[in-house]
């Protein structure tokens, strides 16, 4: 097994704890397999060695590679996920009488049934709220909330106070308590309980904790940056004072904070939990070439909470090509070029920050006849209930006879939710289909509804009756009218269990209207929305950046790289410095999935390219990478925006190139005098929009997004440090 000097240092680590900072594609699995064999060859009994992997597929891959090197009679150490470790520990504690016997709920429908029962119990006195609370998205959010309570070992009321949950989630704390009673009464447990129950029992009983300690000499944990509080505390309990812990991970790839992970777990919390450790870097990536390695270094450089470590491309890695473009035509052109080169579509992946941003790509691929597949089939845009309902509204504009179809009327009354029980809506739909008149307010069918509910349903019926008269409108105008009359953005935000889910639903509406603007024929757009779709195994994979963690492809397309989409923020969801760093780590993970080609797509038009594109300095990195790949790296000095970073990269490679600082564009923003932050009330002059006054400042104070009221151009949102502006005043007024 050939190893680099950095890898050998990890393999041959001596006594005590160790932290291994491994960049994306650095061969850490190969290194850890070699580390295990190093320990076995030095006489460590397999039973005294534990390896913990992040998920089942990583565990199976590690076990396969370990077994491939083992003689037939060689015993191998335990390789587990945290859940399988918790399963074994739960069995032991149950056998000892410390835990009551419980059966694991393995099927999603079993958990959903209990979540429904807990929700109904928590909303026993509010039957109208139950309808939204029992929808799949809200139940999913409740399941996530309950799991996070156990992952972070925190009181449900404290977690609810901390999380940014919508008004429709006020029952979550009560539902958690009801769920716990249901699980106990029926002798059941969830996957989260596999860690939560043993940990509570061990931390409550020192003698019991001592009973599970002393069995391990070495513990190796992969993807350490992603472990949560329950996993960390359980690991510390089992390791005790004697086991040497080796944590392997990359704080720059910590993208599961919403699941309880924290970037400081790798950097700071390790020493607090286990004690002093020897630090080892795995800085060399075997995945991609110099251009992408440099772009990744630039992309993450602005984060304050990060390791001081560069990603270096190994000799012989592909000369990765970087491209940034606007519009879906660039996606189709890239795939056409890929296929002309004799490459397969199943070697490609399209990444998005959220599923709503995949809609333009889904429509473009479908219209062009390019096969694709989604990591989650339920995220096919055409299968979403909201999209099916919008298609129904448009179809009704073409055929007034559909007003007599009770099934269609029910679907349109239900989406987006009017916060009325589904059974009542079904009855109302049948009545409307028959009478073609909305009931009077004293009618028993609607008399006991709240005034706002009655008014919304009546407005929705008026819209349905109006639509057949608007059939001549172009698709985008008609769809925008439907969305506006439904007040869909307000409804979706209110109904969402999490703010980010509501914003994603609203973004989906925006994307659909934008796509409708590219189609002149309403019937063609309706047909497109209602077209049956299925996954094609040989097609391009579409998935989220979170779903791509740990994976790689020869060609990666990152779509939807627009400001406010990625990083994700808005007027109601400001971008704090901490969230900006998390978004930047997500971007870092996204671009480092590519091996040979990376295409970053923004939408163009009114959408501004993401700040992360400029931060990556991709064009400079491409030029430096090309120069490094030349047999004789000669030529004029290369202009780079960060000579210190590029110089460090070259020094680490043992290479040299002539560099010079890139000239700052004349249009770049002037710094506020004295280094003060941008603030509301400051006056400025824009090279295009003229003079104006700052009305809103959002995001990272060092690189904020500002909203300016221009005297001639109205309100505009700008990235302050990149906009062609000159500050005319520092102190407001």
């Amino acid at each position: 097994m050939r190893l680099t000097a950095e890898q050998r240092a990890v393999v041959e680590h001596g006594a005590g704890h160790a932290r291994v900072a491994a960049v994306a594609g650095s061969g850490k699995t190969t290194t850890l397999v070699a580390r295990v064999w190093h320990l076995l060859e030095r006489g460590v009994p397999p039973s005294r060695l534990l390896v913990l992997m992040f998920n089942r597929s990583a565990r199976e891959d590690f076990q396969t590679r370990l077994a491939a090197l083992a003689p037939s009679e060689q015993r191998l150490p335990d390789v587990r996920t945290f859940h399988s470790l918790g399963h074994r520990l739960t069995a032991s504690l149950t056998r000892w009488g410390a835990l009551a016997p419980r059966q694991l709920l393995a099927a999603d429908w079993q958990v959903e049934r209990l979540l429904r029962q807990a929700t109904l119990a928590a909303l026993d006195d509010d039957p109208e709220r139950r309808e939204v609370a029992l929808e799949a998205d809200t139940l999913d959010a409740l399941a996530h909330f309950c799991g996070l309570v156990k992952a972070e070992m925190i009181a449900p009321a404290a977690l609810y106070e901390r999380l940014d949950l919508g008004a429709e989630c006020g029952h979550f704390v009560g539902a958690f308590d009801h769920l716990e009673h249901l699980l106990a009464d029926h002798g059941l447990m969830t996957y989260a309980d596999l860690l939560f129950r043993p940990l509570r029992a061990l931390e409550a009983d020192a003698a019991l904790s001592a009973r599970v300690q002393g069995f391990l000499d070495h513990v190796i944990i992969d993807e350490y940056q992603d472990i949560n509080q329950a996993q960390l505390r359980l690991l510390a309990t089992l390791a005790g004072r004697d086991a040497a812990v080796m944590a392997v991970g990359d704080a720059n790839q910590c993208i599961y904070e919403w699941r309880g992970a924290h970037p400081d777990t790798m950097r700071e919390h390790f020493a607090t939990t286990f004690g002093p450790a020897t630090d080892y870097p795995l800085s060399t990536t075997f995945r991609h070439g110099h251009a992408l390695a440099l772009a990744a270094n630039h992309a993450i450089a602005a984060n304050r909470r990060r390791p001081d470590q560069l990603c270096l491309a190994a000799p012989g890695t592909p000369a990765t090509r970087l491209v940034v473009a606007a519009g879906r035509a660039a996606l189709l052109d890239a795939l056409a070029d890929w296929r002309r080169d004799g490459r397969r579509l199943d070697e490609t992946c399209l990444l998005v920050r959220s599923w709503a941003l995949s809609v333009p790509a889904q429509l473009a691929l479908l219209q062009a006849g390019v096969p694709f597949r989604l990591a989650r089939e339920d995220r096919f845009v055409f299968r979403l209930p909201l999209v099916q309902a919008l298609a129904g509204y448009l179809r009704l504009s073409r055929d007034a006879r559909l007003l007599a179809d009770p099934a269609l009327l029910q679907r349109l009354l239900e989406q987006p939710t009017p916060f009325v029980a589904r059974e009542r809506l079904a009855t109302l739909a049948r009545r409307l289909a028959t009478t073609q008149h909305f009931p009077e307010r004293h009618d028993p069918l609607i008399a006991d509804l709240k005034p706002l509910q009655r008014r919304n349903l009546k407005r929705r019926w008026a819209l349905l009756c109006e639509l057949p008269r608007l059939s001549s409108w172009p698709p985008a105008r008609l769809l925008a009218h439907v969305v506006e009359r439904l007040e869909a953005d307000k409804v979706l935000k209110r109904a969402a269990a999490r703010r980010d889910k509501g914003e994603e639903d609203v973004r989906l509406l925006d994307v659909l209207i934008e796509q409708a603007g590219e189609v002149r024929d309403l019937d063609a757009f309706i047909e497109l929305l209602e077209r049956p779709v299925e996954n094609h195994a040989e097609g391009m994979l579409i998935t989220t950046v979170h779903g791509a963690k740990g994976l790689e492809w020869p060609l990666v397309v990152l779509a939807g790289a627009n400001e406010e989409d990625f990083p994700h923020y808005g007027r109601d969801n400001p971008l704090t410095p901490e969230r900006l760093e998390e978004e930047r780590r997500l971007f870092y993970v996204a671009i480092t999935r590519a091996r040979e080609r990376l295409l970053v797509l923004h939408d163009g038009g009114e959408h501004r390219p993401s700040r992360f594109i400029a931060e990556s300095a991709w064009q400079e990195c491409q030029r430096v990478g090309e120069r490094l790949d030349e047999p004789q790296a000669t030529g004029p000095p290369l202009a780079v925006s960060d000579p210190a970073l590029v110089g460090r990269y070259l020094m680490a490679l043992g290479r040299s190139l002539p560099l010079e600082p890139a000239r700052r564009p004349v249009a770049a923003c002037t710094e506020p005098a004295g280094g003060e932050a941008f603030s509301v009330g400051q006056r400025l002059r824009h090279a295009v929009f003229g003079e104006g006054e700052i009305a809103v400042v959002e995001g990272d104070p060092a690189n904020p997004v500002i909203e300016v009221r221009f005297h001639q151009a109205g309100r505009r949102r700008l990235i302050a440090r990149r906009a062609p502006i000159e500050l005319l005043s520092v102190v407001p007024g």
Side-chain angles (χ1 to χ4, degrees):
M1 188 181 300
R2 297 182 60 183
L3 301 173
T4 66
E6 287 184 340
Q7 291 171 330
R8 281 197 304 273
V10 173
V11 171
E12 297 170 1
H13 166 70
H17 303 307
R19 286 183 301 196
V20 181
V23 302
S26 60
K28 60 186 175 67
T29 301
T30 298
T31 305
L32 294 184
V33 168
R35 170 66 178 170
V36 169
W37 277 110
H38 176 82
L39 293 173
L40 294 176
E41 289 170 352
R42 273 150 185 75
V44 176
S47 61
R48 306 284 298 180
L49 174 58
L50 172 65
V51 181
L52 288 169
M53 307 303 290
F54 185 66
N55 55 36
R56 184 182 301 177
S57 62
R59 182 194 68 186
E60 292 173 350
D61 177 57
F62 193 89
Q63 286 176 320
T64 299
R65 295 173 69 168
L66 194 62
L69 299 175
S72 57
E73 70 280 359
Q74 174 68 54
R75 288 183 56 213
L76 297 178
D78 230 358
V79 181
R80 291 187 174 271
T81 64
F82 270 102
H83 278 139
S84 68
L85 177 65
H87 198 289
R88 185 176 69 172
L89 191 55
T90 298
S92 296
L93 295 179
T94 302
R95 191 168 60 252
W96 299 343
L99 291 177
R102 290 197 186 183
Q103 181 181 353
L104 179 64
L105 290 170
D108 290 342
W109 67 267
Q110 295 173 306
V111 178
E112 181 182 340
R113 184 177 62 183
L114 289 181
L115 290 170
R116 286 178 172 276
Q117 294 177 27
T119 297
L120 292 172
L123 294 174
D124 182 57
D125 59 346
D126 195 347
E128 289 298 341
R129 283 186 60 200
R130 293 179 188 172
E131 197 64 33
V132 173
L134 292 176
E135 290 186 352
D137 287 339
T138 308
L139 289 175
D140 285 345
L142 174 58
H144 174 71
F145 175 83
C146 294
L148 197 56
V149 167
K150 297 177 178 181
E152 297 207 13
M153 303 294 291
I154 188 173
L159 181 64
Y160 180 81
E161 186 71 22
R162 194 187 79 198
L163 295 180
D164 189 15
L165 297 173
E168 298 305 315
C169 303
H171 64 285
F172 275 17
V173 174
F176 176 87
D177 293 334
H178 285 294
L179 179 63
E180 288 298 282
H181 287 301
L182 287 169
L183 291 169
D185 292 345
H186 295 286
L188 300 170
M189 61 180 173
T190 64
Y191 278 104
D193 288 315
L194 291 175
L195 300 181
F196 180 68
R197 295 179 70 230
L199 182 55
R200 284 205 308 178
L202 292 171
E203 291 187 339
D205 187 338
L208 188 64
S209 179
R211 189 173 177 180
V212 301
Q213 293 175 344
F215 295 97
L216 296 171
D217 293 329
H218 294 272
V219 181
I220 298 173
I221 316 102
D222 191 22
E223 300 289 1
Y224 185 83
Q225 79 280 349
D226 289 328
I227 70 173
N228 57 44
Q229 189 63 214
Q231 293 168 332
L232 179 63
R233 284 159 60 172
L234 182 61
L235 176 63
T237 299
L238 295 177
R241 297 180 179 179
D242 300 324
V245 177
M246 176 177 280
V248 185
D250 182 4
N252 288 337
Q253 297 187 68
C254 180
I255 60 173
Y256 292 115
E257 287 193 77
W258 54 276
R259 225 163 55 183
H262 196 280
D264 290 335
T265 298
M266 186 79 188
R267 297 170 51 243
E268 299 172 7
H269 297 169
F270 183 91
T272 304
T273 304
F274 299 104
T278 304
D279 287 310
Y280 296 96
L282 289 180
S283 302
T284 302
T285 181
F286 301 92
R287 179 176 297 167
H288 45 69
H290 296 299
L292 184 47
L294 279 163
N297 292 326
H298 280 81
I300 203 66
N303 272 12
R304 296 181 177 89
R305 297 184 299 170
R306 64 175 176 85
D308 184 21
Q309 178 181 15
L310 291 179
C311 172
L312 308 171
T317 52
T320 314
R321 183 158 60 93
L322 313 180
V323 177
V324 174
R328 57 187 184 181
L331 168 63
L332 299 177
D333 290 344
L335 294 180
D337 291 342
W338 187 257
R339 297 169 94 173
R340 274 194 294 269
D341 291 342
R343 306 297 293 272
R344 304 191 314 272
L345 285 178
D346 61 4
E347 296 179 296
T348 69
C349 181
L350 184 138
L351 298 178
V352 287
R353 189 205 172 279
S354 66
W355 282 110
L357 299 176
S358 73
V359 172
Q362 290 189 50
L363 294 175
L365 296 174
L366 189 66
Q367 289 176 307
V370 178
F372 63 95
R373 55 198 166 96
L374 269 63
R376 284 183 52 185
E377 287 197 46
D378 63 324
R379 299 310 300 184
F380 274 113
V381 61
F382 320 101
R383 296 183 184 175
L384 298 176
L386 177 61
V387 176
Q388 293 176 343
L390 292 174
Y393 282 106
L394 299 182
R395 185 167 291 284
L396 181 58
S397 72
R398 306 294 282 172
D399 188 352
R401 293 172 299 178
L402 294 175
L403 283 170
D405 183 346
L408 177 63
L409 292 184
Q410 181 179 347
R411 189 204 318 169
L412 303 188
L413 292 175
E414 288 178 351
Q415 288 289 337
T417 179
F419 304 99
V420 175
R422 186 169 285 113
E423 293 78 8
R424 192 194 298 263
L425 293 178
T427 303
L428 177 60
R430 290 193 295 270
R431 174 85 68 85
L432 293 172
T434 302
T435 67
Q436 297 292 292
H437 292 288
F438 194 81
E440 299 295 333
R441 62 180 301 171
H442 59 267
D443 191 299
L445 181 58
I446 63 170
D448 61 338
L449 290 177
K450 297 175 183 177
L452 181 60
Q453 291 173 314
R454 287 199 301 270
R455 184 162 59 250
N456 287 341
L457 287 175
K458 189 171 183 178
R459 287 184 62 188
R460 192 165 299 194
W461 171 246
L463 171 64
L464 297 178
C465 294
E466 175 193 28
L467 285 174
R469 300 195 298 272
L470 309 179
S471 60
S472 62
W473 286 15
R477 181 185 177 191
L478 183 58
L479 184 57
H481 178 71
V482 169
V483 168
E484 180 183 1
R485 289 292 303 276
L486 292 172
E487 295 185 324
D489 55 345
K490 295 180 181 178
V491 173
L492 291 172
K493 287 182 178 180
R494 180 188 167 195
R498 304 186 313 275
R499 173 176 286 180
D500 59 341
K501 176 61 172 64
E503 291 176 343
E504 181 174 349
D505 288 340
V506 172
R507 184 69 178 101
L508 173 61
L509 297 178
D510 295 338
V511 169
L512 287 172
I513 293 172
E514 291 170 4
Q515 299 305 304
E518 299 184 13
V519 181
R520 294 190 176 185
D521 183 68
L522 180 59
D523 290 326
F525 188 65
I526 295 171
E527 187 275 332
L528 183 62
L529 292 183
E530 294 185 335
R531 188 177 299 183
V533 290
E534 61 181 11
N535 269 342
H536 294 274
E538 76 282 5
M540 179 181 217
L541 175 66
I542 300 178
T543 189
T544 62
V545 181
H546 285 102
K549 179 73 180 294
L551 303 175
E552 61 182 60
W553 294 268
L555 168 62
V556 167
V557 179
L558 175 59
N562 312 304
E563 192 68 17
E564 298 190 49
D565 287 330
F566 200 175
H568 174 62
Y569 63 94
R571 187 185 303 275
D572 299 326
N573 183 24
L575 191 62
T576 65
E578 292 77 17
R579 281 196 56 244
L580 177 58
E581 292 208 357
E582 184 179 8
E583 293 285 305
R584 193 175 279 118
R585 290 194 298 273
L586 196 60
F587 183 82
Y588 176 87
V589 168
I591 64 175
T592 54
R593 301 307 96 194
R595 292 204 299 264
E596 301 172 32
R597 300 183 196 176
L598 171 67
L599 170 62
V600 180
L601 291 178
H602 57 92
D603 291 349
E606 296 181 357
H607 297 281
R608 301 185 312 280
S610 168
R611 69 183 72 185
F612 296 153
I613 295 175
E615 288 180 356
S616 70
W618 65 277
Q619 291 169 305
E620 298 175 8
C621 297
Q622 186 74 62
R623 289 193 291 268
V624 173
E626 290 171 354
R627 186 76 65 85
L628 286 172
D629 289 331
E630 295 173 1
Q632 300 293 328
T634 59
L638 292 168
V640 295
S641 55
D642 193 340
L645 190 155
V646 178
R648 282 183 61 201
Y649 186 90
L650 296 173
M651 183 179 297
L653 294 178
R655 302 284 299 275
S656 64
L657 290 175
L659 304 175
E660 64 181 13
R663 291 184 179 181
R664 190 175 188 181
V666 176
C669 168
T670 59
E671 300 287 339
E676 292 100 340
F678 293 90
S679 59
V680 173
Q682 287 177 319
R683 293 184 299 109
L684 54 79
R685 182 184 294 111
H686 190 281
V688 176
F689 304 137
E691 292 191 11
E693 182 178 288
I694 297 177
V696 178
V697 180
E698 298 176 339
D700 185 354
N703 186 23
V705 172
I706 59 175
E707 186 170 303
V708 183
R709 288 190 297 264
F710 288 103
H711 304 324
Q712 303 296 328
R715 296 177 78 99
R716 302 278 178 160
R717 291 172 67 82
L718 309 169
I719 302 175
R721 301 295 186 190
R722 276 187 231 128
I725 60 177
E726 175 188 0
L727 289 169
L728 302 178
S729 69
V730 175
V731 180

